[in-house]
Amino acid sequence: MAADWLGSLVSINCGPTLGVYQGEVSSVDQSSQTISLKQPFHNGVKCSVPEVTFSAMDIKELKILDITIGNVRNGSSVCAKSSSGPIAVPRDDPRTKERLNSPQHCSKSYGERHQDVPGQPKQGFRLRHNSWSSSSRGVNPVTPKKNGVKNGAPMKHRDDECFGDGMDDGMEDFDFEGNLALFDKAAVFSEIDTSERRTNGARSRGTPQEQTPTRYRHDENVLEVKPIVYRQITVPQPGDKEFCTDSGLIVPTISYDFRKRLLSVAERHGLSLERRLEMTGVCASQMALTLLGGPNRLTPKNVHQRPTVALLCGPHVQGAQGISCGRHLANHEVEVILFLPKFVKMLESVTSELNVFSKTGAKLVSNIKDLPDSPVDLIIDCLDCHESTFLMDQPWYKAAANWANQNRAPVLCIDPPVSRQQVVEAKWSLSLCLPLPLAEGAGRVYLCDIGVPCKVFQEVGVKYHSPFGCKFVIPLHSA
């Protein structure tokens, strides 16, 4: 009698997970408890497969939408719900009686009927999400094939099955190339140019063929800026020698007499000798700390290898600068040995710096024999003076210069003079404010910022723009 239901339209509710299916009954297998629908609709959308098969375990509710009956007999009828209204079904028809007396009547779901079977304990009903395809063993089971065909129809991609809208695949692909060919870019840009000319637009835009893209290096600024002026410092009486910084800025040299005038004006405006000595000491000590290894050498874990610096100073302003540098080095845990011969009369600035230096606990010697015999880490030379030449004939000067040349330690000279060749050959020389035309024995030249204001430079006729940037000590190169 199951074959009498073939061709009938039914609606099968499989719960919220699998949804509702409608279609024409194509086969009913009582032995495997399966029913197959052809031309099915899933939740109102036509399925991409021609036939689906359901197991009785997955069916929550079954509704008859239309029954194909050859001869309708007179008598009482049973109503089946449909989308177009109730349909009169004769009750005395044998197929109707069989359907009404069947345990798979649509009034109860299979799970509810299974729990009501006499003689069996009630048990929970578990929904199998894919049982209709994996457990179908009856007629026309819906199982995937290795060749990508499902029940004679090509399989759709998994994403299409999950997220597709169920529409037919007969839609034509959009012709992007053909649509792009309809766009006349040259005409559009020409129209834009014409519109901008009418509105007196300040910006003109050409076609892509007319535009030449500008290529920038990784270190170039893409924003339009003013051209760099590398000669930002000009002096009224430039020397024969010029230097340049790492960024290419030109730094001219000045004579010692011109520098004396510049410092005199600066002192008149408040930049006293004591301030200049402090700035020189700080900058020189910072450079010396870098030469000694900086953070790689001066660490709390490296106290057993503290660097040793020997300071050779004379009784003049250069010597006071060296004493100030030694004080700052001693404050940074550097082993400092200061050599300063005993004089009956010294400058007030030297005496003042020496009094402060004595509070650091660093070593002060006046005899060359008290200097270490082994090489030190760094020698700072402040023996020479800009204005006096008689010091070179003094025994202490010769002895100190001879010790420095034989110690085999690198030498840093602070503010060396330009009047003569240096007795102690230096590896580095530190100039103040603006460089002096130093001799070849001065080594590599560095420039130190001692805090002279721009107005002071302008007063002495110097067009000045600071070349230091973010630093107080910068290296100079021969231009």
Side-chain angles (χ1 to χ4, degrees):
M1 299 299 293
D4 296 337
W5 297 98
L6 300 180
S8 301
L9 298 180
V10 297
S11 174
I12 299 177
N13 184 1
C14 298
T17 303
L18 299 180
V20 180
Y21 289 82
Q22 296 90 19
E24 182 180 349
V25 178
S26 59
S27 64
V28 177
D29 191 342
Q30 293 182 348
S31 61
S32 61
Q33 293 292 303
T34 59
I35 181 171
S36 299
L37 303 182
K38 65 180 181 179
Q39 298 181 358
F41 283 79
H42 179 218
N43 294 332
V45 179
K46 185 177 180 181
C47 298
S48 58
V49 294
E51 188 178 50
V52 292
T53 301
F54 301 90
S55 175
M57 297 180 62
D58 294 333
I59 300 176
K60 292 290 186 179
E61 185 178 8
L62 188 147
K63 295 181 181 180
I64 303 174
L65 303 180
D66 190 9
I67 301 177
T68 302
I69 301 176
N71 297 319
V72 180
R73 300 177 182 177
N74 296 328
S76 59
S77 62
V78 61
C79 292
K81 293 184 179 179
S82 67
S83 58
S84 59
I87 301 175
V89 181
R91 183 175 296 273
D92 55 353
D93 187 85
R95 288 172 297 181
T96 305
K97 293 181 178 179
E98 179 184 357
R99 183 60 183 170
L100 294 176
N101 297 328
S102 174
Q104 299 181 10
H105 191 261
C106 61
S107 60
K108 287 187 178 181
S109 65
Y110 177 81
E112 295 173 349
R113 296 191 304 271
H114 182 72
Q115 294 178 359
D116 296 338
V117 175
Q120 292 185 1
K122 294 186 178 181
Q123 56 184 358
F125 177 72
R126 182 176 62 90
L127 177 63
R128 301 195 311 181
H129 294 278
N130 201 26
S131 61
W132 67 275
S133 60
S134 61
S135 62
S136 299
R137 296 180 298 274
V139 182
N140 296 327
V142 182
T143 55
K145 303 296 182 180
K146 292 184 179 180
N147 57 359
V149 177
K150 183 186 294 185
N151 288 342
M155 293 175 59
K156 296 188 67 177
H157 194 268
R158 181 176 297 178
D159 292 343
D160 295 336
E161 293 181 357
C162 296
F163 306 105
D165 55 0
M167 299 179 62
D168 293 336
D169 297 334
M171 181 184 295
E172 297 181 359
D173 293 337
F174 184 76
D175 188 3
F176 289 96
E177 295 182 359
N179 185 71
L180 184 60
L182 300 177
F183 177 66
D184 191 353
K185 292 182 286 186
V188 173
F189 282 116
S190 177
E191 183 179 353
I192 294 175
D193 288 338
T194 303
S195 176
E196 289 184 350
R197 293 191 193 99
R198 291 176 181 176
T199 57
N200 295 326
R203 183 168 57 94
S204 178
R205 188 181 304 163
T207 61
Q209 292 80 7
E210 297 174 358
Q211 293 178 347
T212 303
T214 304
R215 297 183 179 273
Y216 297 93
R217 299 195 311 269
H218 68 281
D219 58 345
E220 287 184 322
N221 193 350
V222 298
L223 301 179
E224 184 177 356
V225 295
K226 295 181 180 179
I228 300 177
V229 179
Y230 290 99
R231 189 176 293 277
Q232 299 180 357
I233 302 176
T234 57
V235 295
Q237 297 176 354
D240 298 335
K241 193 174 183 180
E242 289 183 338
F243 294 95
C244 66
T245 64
D246 290 339
S247 57
L249 299 178
I250 303 298
V251 180
T253 59
I254 59 176
S255 63
Y256 175 69
D257 294 336
F258 187 81
R259 198 184 80 168
K260 286 175 59 179
R261 179 187 170 193
L262 175 64
L263 296 180
S264 176
V265 175
E267 189 169 355
R268 179 163 48 87
H269 286 283
L271 190 63
S272 62
L273 177 61
E274 290 75 13
R275 288 188 175 184
R276 300 200 304 269
L277 290 176
E278 189 68 18
M279 283 296 300
T280 304
V282 170
C283 294
S285 62
Q286 182 63 57
M287 181 178 176
L289 291 173
T290 303
L291 297 176
L292 292 172
N296 297 325
R297 183 78 181 274
L298 299 169
T299 60
K301 298 181 180 180
N302 198 25
V303 293
H304 61 287
Q305 293 181 344
R306 293 173 58 186
T308 303
V309 176
L311 275 159
L312 308 179
C313 300
H316 38 63
V317 175
Q318 278 76 13
Q321 293 171 351
I323 298 173
S324 176
C325 175
R327 171 167 54 89
H328 290 290
L329 290 177
N331 291 336
H332 286 265
E333 302 298 329
V334 177
E335 195 74 31
V336 177
I337 303 175
L338 173 61
F339 168 76
L340 180 65
K342 292 182 179 180
F343 292 94
V344 177
K345 186 177 181 180
M346 289 188 297
L347 294 177
E348 182 181 356
S349 59
V350 177
T351 304
S352 176
E353 290 294 334
L354 192 60
N355 290 334
V356 183
F357 175 82
S358 62
K359 304 301 187 294
T360 61
K363 188 176 181 180
L364 175 63
V365 298
S366 59
N367 195 331
I368 296 298
K369 296 181 180 180
D370 296 330
L371 291 174
D373 297 333
S374 59
V376 295
D377 293 279
L378 179 65
I379 297 174
I380 299 180
D381 178 20
C382 300
L383 294 173
D384 291 320
C385 179
H386 289 284
E387 300 176 354
S388 300
T389 59
F390 70 92
L391 294 176
M392 298 180 60
D393 300 330
Q394 299 293 324
W396 62 267
Y397 182 96
K398 294 180 180 180
N402 187 38
W403 177 88
N405 291 329
Q406 293 180 357
N407 191 264
R408 297 178 297 174
V411 178
L412 168 63
C413 188
I414 300 178
D415 193 16
V418 296
S419 58
R420 62 189 180 278
Q421 187 72 24
Q422 292 182 235
V423 178
V424 179
E425 186 174 356
K427 188 174 183 179
W428 307 283
S429 292
L430 183 63
S431 292
L432 312 181
C433 189
L434 286 176
L436 302 176
L438 302 178
E440 294 296 331
R444 187 173 183 181
V445 181
Y446 283 76
L447 189 63
C448 167
D449 183 13
I450 59 175
V452 179
C454 295
K455 296 294 183 180
V456 176
F457 286 102
Q458 295 178 4
E459 188 171 341
V460 296
V462 177
K463 181 183 177 182
Y464 182 81
H465 185 81
S466 176
F468 293 96
C470 62
K471 300 179 180 179
F472 283 88
V473 179
I474 59 174
L476 296 180
H477 312 278
S478 298

